[in-house]
């Protein structure tokens, strides 16, 4: 049960991790707006379902809202030349108020309402109890495949080059600003989609559900890289999803058995942040141990 | 006329005071010109290339390519007409992409469609092009550029910059960061590609021997102006020592120039003097 739950969550939150991979790894843009776009997805999809719209339509609405919010961060960073971190924080803060307005209250209960999982599992005739796993997996793998195909196109290749060397991209006739904006937009679209599915999975949308999204996303990306050592884009995307599953499993285990060690749910973010910190500091620590400088 | 830089001035402010990195500079390049550009540090060579490529906007003056006024075009729009290689091999290529992907981006200059970056046909074409470098890179199409040596990377950058036969090729000390053997190789590749595609080229170099041996025109810059412009014939008669002497002459005039800053007449006279000197030599 614990494993099934972690697998389901890992796939649903894996969409968010794919988005973080796109901004953080592909574009080298540490985008904090995801802390706002994850609950944005939940809020938009939640209120649409609440008002009686089809849950699949609601999820698509969340995707659209995420794409827009990401494009906004991209424009702040590239056209208005606001430093990337700050651009993300600004979007995140604005979204906090906006999400409250969208939902009209801090918490929107969705239990008993139709979900995209149920709707789609009817379409594919999936047996009861397996809806979240199969539909979550369909979304995660389907979007990972789409993202893979995209990154192999001319446009996607140019986007990868942008994170690497924007001057080269410009010298070859493309605008690094537009490519960055497009990439951040797609990234936040994925994150909002993930937020929408997560809220339907857990049965509520909450304005506070986005706190720490970026850290959880980074942890998934980094855990995937360390565990699976992927080579090539396809393996990298799968490793991110794998990392997300492992991360959710670790959290479930911590919550289940952590109490005996005096560990509570409120310590979760501290531990996660420490793991990310260690992973990010690893290269510097390694060279410091070898006595290198700089 | 491929390139016309008309009375371009670019001023930077430096700690409150302002000085001109380009001072009312005019330069024409005809089709097939291969001009080497020399000049002391801070003479404005890189600034000139930046203004031509569009990564810097001039304060005054105009840049025309093929008769079109491109002064207000952003760099990425001009890129379709211009190929560029920088001093730093890291700047001309994307290190996390493969050799083939880098070349494909260069071949699809300005393209941003949803077609696959690497089709089988394009891969075969790129392997052929790479083989012409004779550096054995054609067997490493799938390798990340980060794994190439500086010389290999710069050779790749030159190939990429010339792949779409740009109207104008801008090279900024593109062999300066390489060891002598690799510098020779990359220079040889550059000369071969420029000749093959008859590219109009502006090549900045800090090596007098290179400036004399390569190309069919020589330009010397000093304090944001062109102080010497030799055609093929004049260039052939010049030896490295003559050039070094000329360089000194310009350098020595620095003091006089400092006494009369902003006296354009004085600078103009200096240019005349250098020109006369060149003919005497
Ligand atoms: N963005 C800038 N801001 C301020 N000053 C600048 C800028 N770019 C160039 N300069 C100044 O303009 C002058 C000309 O610089 P430029 O880089 O064109 O010289 P250069 O001829 O290429 O020299 P080098 O041989 O050292 O490469 C220098 O004094 C430089 O410090
Ligand atoms: Mg320079």
């Amino acid at each position: 049960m614990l494993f099934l739950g972690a697998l389901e969550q890992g796939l649903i939150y894996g969409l968010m991790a794919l988005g973080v991979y796109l901004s953080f790894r592909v574009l080298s843009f540490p985008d904090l707006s995801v802390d706002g776009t994850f609950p944005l997805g939940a809020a938009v999809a939640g209120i649409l379902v609440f008002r009686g719209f089809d849950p699949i339509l609601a999820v698509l609405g969340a995707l659209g809202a995420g794409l827009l919010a990401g494009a906004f961060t991209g424009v702040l960073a590239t056209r208005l030349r606001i430093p990337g971190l700050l651009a993300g924080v600004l979007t995140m803060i604005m979204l906090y108020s906006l999400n409250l307005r969208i939902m009209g209250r801090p918490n929107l209960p969705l239990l008993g309402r139709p979900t995209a999982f149920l709707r789609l599992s009817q379409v594919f005739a999936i047996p009861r109890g397996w809806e979240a796993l199969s539909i979550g997996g369909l979304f995660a793998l389907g979007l990972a495949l789409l993202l893979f195909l995209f990154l192999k196109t001319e446009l996607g290749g140019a986007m990868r080059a942008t994170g690497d060397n924007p001057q080269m991209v410009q010298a070859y006739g493309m605008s690094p600003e537009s490519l960055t904006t497009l990439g951040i937009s797609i990234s936040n679209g994925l994150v909002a989609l993930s937020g929408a599915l997560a809220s339907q999975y857990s049965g509520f949308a909450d304005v506070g559900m986005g706190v720490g999204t970026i850290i959880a996303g980074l942890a998934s990306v980094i855990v995937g890289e360390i565990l699976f050592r992927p080579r090539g884009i396809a393996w990298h995307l799968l490793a991110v999803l794998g990392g997300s599953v492992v991360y959710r499993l670790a959290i479930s285990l911590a919550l289940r058995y952590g109490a005996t060690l005096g560990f509570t749910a409120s310590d979760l973010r501290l531990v996660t942040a420490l793991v990310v910190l260690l992973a990010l500091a690893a290269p510097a620590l390694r060279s410091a141990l070898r006595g290198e400088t700089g | 006329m491929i390139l016309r830089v008309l009375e371009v001035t670019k001023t930077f402010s430096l700690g409150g005071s302002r000085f001109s990195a380009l001072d009312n500079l005019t330069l024409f390049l005809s089709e097939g010109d291969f001009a080497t550009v020399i000049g002391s540090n801070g003479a404005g060579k890189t600034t000139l290339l930046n203004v031509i490529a569009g990564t810097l906007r001039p304060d005054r003056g105009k840049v025309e390519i093929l008769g079109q006024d491109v002064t207000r075009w952003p760099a990425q729009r001009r890129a379709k007409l211009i190929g560029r290689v920088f001093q730093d091999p890291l700047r001309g290529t994307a290190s996390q992409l493969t050799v083939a992907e880098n070349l494909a981006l260069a071949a699809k200059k300005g393209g941003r469609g949803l077609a696959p970056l690497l089709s089988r046909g394009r891969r075969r074409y790129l392997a052929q092009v790479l083989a012409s470098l004779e550096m054995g890179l054609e067997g490493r199409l799938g390798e990340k550029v980060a794994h190439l040596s500086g010389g290999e990377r710069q050779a790749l950058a030159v190939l990429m910059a010339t792949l779409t036969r740009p109207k104008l090729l801008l090279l900024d000390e593109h062999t300066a960061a390489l060891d002598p053997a690799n510098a020779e190789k990359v220079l040889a590749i550059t000369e071969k590609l420029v000749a093959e595609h008859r590219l109009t080229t502006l090549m900045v170099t800090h090596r007098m021997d290179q400036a004399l041996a390569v190309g069919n025109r020589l330009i010397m810059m000093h304090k944001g102006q062109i102080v010497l412009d030799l055609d093929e014939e004049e260039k052939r008669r010049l030896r490295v020592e003559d050039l070094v002497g000329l360089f000194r002459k310009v350098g020595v005039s620095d003091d006089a120039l400092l006494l009369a800053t902003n006296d354009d007449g004085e600078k103009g006279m200096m240019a005349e003097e250098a020109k006369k000197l060149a003919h005497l030599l």
Side-chain angles (χ1 to χ4, degrees):
Chain A
M1 237 2 258
L2 184 136
F3 284 92
L4 180 64
L7 193 54
E8 290 168 355
Q9 288 172 25
L11 291 169
I12 292 168
Y13 284 82
L15 288 172
M16 174 275 282
L18 288 176
V20 171
Y21 168 77
L22 183 60
S23 58
F24 188 70
R25 279 285 185 251
V26 175
L27 287 167
S28 315
F29 186 114
D31 176 28
L32 298 187
S33 26
V34 296
D35 273 32
T37 46
F38 188 80
L40 172 69
V44 168
I47 200 68
L48 285 176
V49 169
F50 206 75
R51 294 264 164 83
F53 285 92
D54 188 274
I56 296 172
L57 196 76
V59 167
L60 290 179
L63 172 69
L67 289 171
L68 270 180
F72 181 73
T73 302
V75 168
L76 291 191
T78 60
R79 303 290 171 195
L80 305 182
R81 310 232 179 85
I82 295 170
L85 276 173
L86 193 55
V89 170
L90 285 172
T91 303
M92 179 183 98
I93 297 291
M94 288 185 212
L95 283 176
Y96 187 83
S97 298
L98 207 61
N99 291 340
L100 266 172
R101 256 189 195 283
I102 291 171
M103 294 200 292
R105 70 195 85 174
N107 187 294
L108 205 60
L110 298 169
L111 275 178
R113 306 256 170 195
T115 67
F117 299 106
L118 288 176
R119 241 332 166 271
L120 284 170
S121 52
Q122 281 163 8
V123 175
F124 296 106
I126 284 154
R128 289 197 58 158
W130 298 96
E131 295 93 346
L133 183 67
S134 49
I135 302 305
L138 186 73
F139 269 103
L141 293 174
L143 282 163
L145 178 66
L146 278 181
L147 193 54
F148 168 72
L149 291 175
F150 171 72
L151 289 173
K152 288 287 190 182
T153 63
E154 292 164 8
L155 191 62
M159 191 177 284
R160 283 186 285 137
T162 301
D164 211 344
N165 187 349
Q167 285 169 331
M168 175 248 178
V169 169
Q170 194 181 42
Y172 286 97
M174 289 158 298
S175 151
E177 290 85 13
S178 307
L179 287 163
T180 302
T181 304
L182 178 65
I184 298 299
S185 172
I186 295 174
S187 161
N188 282 285
L190 286 167
V191 174
L193 187 61
S194 175
L197 291 176
S199 69
Q200 295 189 353
Y201 174 79
S202 53
F204 65 90
D206 189 283
V207 277
M209 71 195 285
V211 179
T213 300
I214 182 68
I215 295 298
L218 285 179
S220 305
V221 170
I222 292 168
V223 166
E225 284 170 352
I226 291 174
L227 285 186
F228 305 112
R229 309 215 157 268
R231 281 179 191 280
I233 300 168
W235 291 113
H236 222 124
L237 294 172
L238 290 176
V240 169
L241 291 180
S244 174
V245 170
V246 171
Y247 173 75
R248 294 295 151 185
L249 185 63
I251 286 186
S252 307
L253 288 171
L255 287 176
R256 171 76 64 87
Y257 302 107
T260 51
L261 307 169
F263 177 89
T264 70
S266 55
D267 296 324
L268 213 60
R269 290 207 172 107
L270 175 66
V271 176
T272 307
L274 283 174
V275 169
V276 172
L277 191 158
L278 266 181
L280 290 179
L285 292 175
R286 215 173 296 144
S287 45
L289 282 177
R290 288 206 205 101
E292 296 162 9
T293 51
Chain B
M1 201 66 71
I2 296 281
L3 172 74
R4 296 192 342 147
V5 177
L6 287 161
E7 299 175 356
V8 160
T9 296
K10 179 72 200 177
T11 308
F12 292 113
S13 43
L14 201 77
S17 69
R18 300 175 64 77
F19 80 102
S20 301
L22 294 178
D23 187 1
N24 204 30
L25 180 143
T26 293
L27 168 68
F28 292 178
L29 283 184
S30 315
E31 178 139 32
D33 273 1
F34 185 168
T36 51
V37 182
I38 54 173
S40 51
N41 292 108
K45 307 179 293 290
T46 299
T47 307
L48 174 63
L49 296 200
N50 282 336
V51 163
I52 295 171
T55 48
L56 269 185
R57 284 272 164 86
D59 303 331
R60 269 186 288 125
K62 242 175 30 168
V63 179
E64 284 178 6
I65 299 176
L66 291 174
Q68 287 182 94
D69 185 350
V70 299
T71 318
R72 313 220 141 263
W73 289 21
Q76 58 259 24
R77 185 158 171 219
R78 292 187 210 187
K80 275 153 217 157
L81 305 170
I82 295 176
R84 195 167 187 198
V85 184
F86 305 94
Q87 177 172 345
D88 181 359
L90 301 182
R91 270 182 76 176
T93 47
S95 55
Q96 294 307 308
L97 272 61
T98 64
V99 173
E101 286 173 334
N102 269 277
L103 273 168
L105 279 179
K108 279 298 296 184
K109 208 170 209 180
R112 38 179 92 183
L114 288 176
L117 184 57
L118 289 170
S119 61
R120 190 165 303 177
R122 195 176 287 165
R123 210 185 280 268
R124 203 173 315 122
Y125 160 71
L126 295 176
Q128 265 171 23
V129 180
L130 259 181
S132 72
L133 287 186
E134 295 173 0
M135 290 185 96
L137 286 175
E138 60 276 13
R140 300 170 69 183
L141 272 174
E143 212 167 315
K144 273 190 189 174
V145 168
H147 300 160
L148 302 189
S149 74
E152 288 165 344
R153 246 181 119 142
Q154 200 65 327
L156 178 63
V158 174
L159 181 62
M160 283 166 61
T162 55
L163 203 55
T164 50
R165 305 184 186 193
K167 295 298 167 208
L168 184 61
L169 180 63
L170 304 176
L171 308 167
D172 194 353
E173 302 197 36
H174 71 303
T175 64
L178 308 176
D179 63 68
N182 272 314
E184 282 309 315
K185 211 181 279 177
V186 169
L187 189 64
I189 286 170
T190 307
E191 286 194 85
K192 181 179 150 220
L193 288 170
V194 167
E196 211 171 280
H197 304 319
R198 297 163 191 272
L199 301 176
T200 307
T201 303
L202 210 49
M203 180 176 107
V204 174
T205 176
H206 67 289
R207 284 187 35 195
M208 303 290 161
D209 56 333
Q210 248 184 28
L212 282 177
V214 178
N216 53 22
R217 192 170 156 189
L218 189 147
I219 290 166
M220 190 194 282
M221 284 184 69
H222 187 66
K223 301 215 161 169
Q225 296 188 320
I226 291 178
V227 291
L228 187 66
D229 188 345
L230 302 181
D231 63 22
E232 195 162 15
E233 184 63 22
E234 294 167 320
K235 189 176 158 193
R236 207 171 21 241
R237 287 206 307 264
L238 213 63
R239 289 166 303 135
V240 171
E241 305 87 88
D242 305 334
L243 203 53
V244 173
L246 269 175
F247 219 92
R248 289 251 165 72
K249 185 80 191 167
V250 173
V252 167
S253 315
D254 269 9
D255 293 342
L257 262 170
L258 277 177
L259 290 175
T261 357
N262 292 339
D263 186 344
D264 287 338
E266 179 101 19
K267 283 191 205 165
M269 267 171 58
M270 193 185 67
E272 276 308 303
E273 188 186 0
K275 189 91 189 171
K276 259 184 262 155
L277 251 168
H279 287 291
L280 286 177
L281 285 163

